[in-house]
Amino acid sequence: MSTGNADAVTFSDLSRNPRAVAERAARLGRVRITHRDAPDFYLTAADREDQRGQTLATASRLFLALVKHDPTARTLVIAMPEVFPWVRHLTSAELRSFTLELVEALSDAAELDVDVTTQEVIVGWQATARIKADPVRYAQARKATSGDFGPVGVSA
């Protein structure tokens, strides 16, 4: 089997020798399957993925319980700058909103298996912080507009 990374194999390797790849995945926990014409994916044992899901659900429930007992999410808000240093550009109200949206998105990831929302929340608030960090761009963003400016391009 050819590998560029100790825990990666090509899609061709998987096709040619699925048993060896499966054994490797079982031994390592997971193996990245690289594919030149499509996104990579992971081959992992179901019990390992189930444990990962249970861990996420436990963390999510813990955060939700903290928010339930402290509606201002003070403890989580205090921790946010350590995880996301760019939140210093957000107002206190924005930081609380970001924290609550993130906890809700983590809950959706854990309970509903909807992973994309968490990254959307982070990227959206990071974009807000990025604009607010640049006084010129922030001033431009706050100017009133009129008319149709055409389709909006999305960048990652």
Side-chain angles (χ1 to χ4, degrees), residues 123 127 130-131 137 148-156:
V123 168
R130 184 178 300 116
I131 295 240
R137 289 176 69 194
D148 183 355
F149 295 98
V152 176
V154 178
S155 61

Side-chain angles (χ1 to χ4, degrees), residues 8-74:
V9 298
T10 66
F11 187 79
S12 298
D13 292 333
L14 176 61
S15 298
R16 282 193 301 268
N17 200 346
R19 176 172 284 171
V21 173
E23 288 170 358
R24 185 177 193 165
R27 186 176 70 252
L28 296 174
R30 72 179 186 175
V31 172
R32 184 180 197 119
I33 309 297
T34 61
H35 195 291
R36 97 178 141 236
D37 297 328
D40 294 354
F41 63 94
Y42 285 100
L43 179 63
T44 186
D47 62 342
R48 180 178 171 136
E49 190 61 27
D50 291 343
Q51 289 172 350
R52 187 180 300 246
Q54 290 169 357
T55 299
L56 177 59
T58 300
S60 167
R61 290 177 184 144
L62 178 63
F63 291 141
L64 284 172
L66 284 170
V67 171
K68 179 181 175 186
H69 293 288
D70 178 10
T72 64
R74 186 175 185 279

